[in-house]
């Protein structure tokens, strides 16, 4: 069993029974990813939920109603004009019954229908009739996803309070690669569990998180980088979204799925991160700056690959913008949280950075430790506050640590308290 499989089993065990007594309606549309919906239904059942499936006719070309009926233990709704099996007016009854509606996979077609109030089948009619929270997990060809019409429809849905779970990037069924894959069932189910069980103390607040490393090109082939994977920042973003915040995640290169309900801005270089962060900063309430940003970049980037020679190679470097220092100078109402990844004198370096950059608190850790820091699932940190407080935490998962960081941040936000 791999570490990821073991983590997945532990996650499912932790969520067992958490949705007991809750009614979830799953809308399945005509995408090749419809087969993943079977696993989603199964996992939600293991969490104790009462799951009802609405299957479009196109989805039934990929997975049969019988499969969903056996997994969910409930009749599968498809035809608005079929003889009534259980409910008086089925789409209205399901709309009222639902504590949450998840459309997964959500095609461009269903996004367009929902955005424009079209109700011409069982699923679109239910979406129009329900007052429950609605979550869409888009899955489609990259070009379809990136098309201005699809992006506009998703923005309409967001403004009306629907949640959009960003698709993952990777190989697609249409023999291309790009953004458009349905996130793994475990990711979607975790998002549903969090949405239905967590309080939302950050609702109405905007949280900006930076994650991963940045890369500084030397030539078209080589770059200066670091070992940051983005795991800590992604965990903070996911936890902030679970607490109801509007979350923007500015991410360097990272092989991690986008957290549910989070808007991801992908960048490569420190200057790109600088620009992206400043665009979002003015109306942000909380910044968690966990990215490992390159301090220096080459003065000149070669247009062609530098060929090796018998001589050494000298690189002339120049300073990159100090993003956190600049945020500290521009700070008005924002709560600023920094990170100090050190290999020696961790706390003294962290306290100096805390004062210099006008932070509310800083999270310091020794990245030379094998079980903490870059590339690990766990971390061991010290949190130093601007008020002089110092709190040391033992080894724990980065997701658990994300909760602790946000607990501290909430205490700093006006009118807030810890979770």
């Amino acid at each position: 069993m791999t570490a990821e499989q073991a983590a997945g089993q532990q996650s499912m065990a932790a969520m067992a029974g958490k949705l007991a007594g809750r009614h979830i309606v799953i809308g399945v549309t005509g995408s090749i990813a419809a087969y993943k919906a079977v696993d989603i239904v199964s996992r939600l059942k293991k969490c104790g939920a009462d799951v009802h499936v609405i299957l479009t006719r196109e989805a039934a070309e990929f997975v049969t109603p019988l499969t969903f009926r056996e997994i969910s233990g409930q009749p599968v709704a498809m035809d608005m004009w079929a003889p009534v099996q259980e409910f008086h007016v089925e789409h209205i009854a399901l709309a009222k019954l639902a504590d949450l509606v998840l459309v997964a996979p959500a095609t461009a077609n269903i996004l367009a229908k929902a955005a424009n109030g079209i109700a011409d089948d069982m699923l679109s009619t239910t979406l129009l009739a329900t007052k429950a929270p609605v979550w869409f997990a888009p899955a489609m060809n990259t070009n379809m996803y990136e098309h201005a019409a699809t992006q506009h429809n998703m923005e309409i849905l967001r403004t009306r309070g629907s949640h959009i779970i960003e698709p993952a990037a990777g190989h697609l069924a249409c023999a291309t690669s790009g953004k458009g894959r349905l996130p793994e069932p475990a990711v979607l189910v975790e998002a549903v569990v969090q949405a239905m069980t967590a309080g939302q103390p950050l609702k109405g607040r905007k949280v900006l998180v930076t994650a991963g490393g940045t890369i500084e090109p030397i030539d078209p082939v080589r770059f200066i980088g670091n070992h940051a994977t983005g795991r800590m920042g992604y965990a903070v973003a996911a936890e902030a979204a679970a607490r109801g915040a509007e979350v923007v995640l500015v991410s360097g290169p990272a092989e991690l799925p986008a957290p549910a309900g989070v808007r991801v801005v992908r960048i490569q270089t420190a200057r790109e991160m600088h620009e992206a962060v400043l665009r979002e900063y003015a109306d942000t309430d909380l910044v968690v700056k966990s990215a490992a940003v390159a301090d220096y970049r080459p003065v000149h980037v070669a247009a062609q690959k530098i060929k090796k020679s018998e001589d050494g190679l000298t690189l002339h470097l120049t300073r990159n913008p100090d993003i956190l220092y600049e945020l500290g100078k521009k700070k008005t109402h924002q709560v600023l949280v920094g990170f100090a990844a050190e290999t020696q004198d961790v706390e003294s370096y962290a306290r100096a950075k805390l004062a210099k950059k006008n932070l509310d608190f800083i999270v310091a850790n020794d990245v030379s430790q094998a079980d903490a820091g870059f590339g690990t699932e766990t971390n061991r940190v010290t949190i130093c506050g601007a008020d002089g407080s110092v709190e040391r935490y033992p080894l724990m998962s980065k997701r658990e640590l994300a909760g602790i960081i946000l607990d501290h941040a909430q205490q700093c936000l006006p009118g807030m308290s810890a979770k």
Side-chain angles (χ1 to χ4, degrees), residues 364-386:
N365 67 310
D366 185 346
V367 295
S368 67
Q369 299 180 33
D371 56 358
F374 296 145
T376 66
E377 297 286 350
T378 53
N379 215 344
R380 181 188 294 107
V381 306
T382 299
I383 295 180
C384 302

Side-chain angles (χ1 to χ4, degrees), residues 351 354 360-362 382-391 408:
R351 283 194 290 269
L354 171 73
D360 290 270
F361 64 90
I362 192 165
T382 299
I383 295 180
C384 302
D387 59 358
S389 61
V390 176
E391 296 187 48
H408 278 269

Side-chain angles (χ1 to χ4, degrees), residues 48 133-134 171 189 211 223 236 239 295 311 318 336 340 344 353:
V134 178
H171 182 73
V189 170
F223 60 83
V236 171
E239 178 64 21
D295 293 322
D311 300 323
T318 187
L336 287 184
Q344 60 181 345
K353 187 175 181 180

Side-chain angles (χ1 to χ4, degrees), residues 213-226:
T214 60
I215 61 175
E216 304 299 332
I218 298 170
D219 62 21
V221 176
R222 305 175 182 90
F223 60 83
I224 298 171
N226 57 56

Side-chain angles (χ1 to χ4, degrees), residues 51-67:
V51 184
H52 295 266
V53 177
I54 301 177
L55 199 64
T56 66
R57 290 193 173 279
E58 293 77 14
E61 296 293 323
F62 294 101
V63 186
T64 67
L66 177 61
T67 300

Side-chain angles (χ1 to χ4, degrees), residues 11-12 14-19 22 24 43-44 47 49 100 135 186-198 242:
S11 177
M12 282 305 300
M15 291 190 290
K18 283 199 169 183
L19 298 181
R22 310 305 293 273
I24 300 175
R43 288 171 178 268
L44 288 171
C47 292
L100 181 143
W135 291 57
V187 173
L188 297 177
V189 170
E190 182 179 5
V192 170
V193 171
Q194 289 172 353
M196 301 191 73
T197 59

Side-chain angles (χ1 to χ4, degrees), residues 286-358:
L286 166 65
V287 178
V288 181
K289 189 75 176 53
S290 70
V293 182
D295 293 322
Y296 297 90
R297 69 181 186 275
V299 173
H300 300 292
V301 179
Q304 304 296 331
K305 178 183 176 183
I306 300 172
K307 307 304 290 184
K308 65 183 177 182
S309 68
E310 298 302 322
D311 300 323
L313 175 66
T314 300
L315 289 177
H316 294 280
L317 304 179
T318 187
R319 281 290 304 269
N320 271 322
D322 189 330
I323 302 172
L324 193 53
Y325 177 73
E326 189 168 343
L327 296 183
K329 288 199 301 180
K330 294 178 180 292
K331 180 177 175 181
T332 55
H333 64 282
Q334 295 89 350
V335 170
L336 287 184
V337 180
F339 276 69
E342 305 291 348
T343 58
Q344 60 181 345
D345 299 326
V346 175
E347 289 187 28
S348 61
Y349 283 132
R351 283 194 290 269
K353 187 175 181 180
L354 171 73
K356 179 181 178 181
K357 303 194 178 185
N358 192 24

Side-chain angles (χ1 to χ4, degrees), residues 31-43:
S31 162
I32 187 65
Y35 75 93
K36 290 186 178 181
V38 178
D39 193 11
I40 294 169
V41 172
S42 176
R43 288 171 178 268

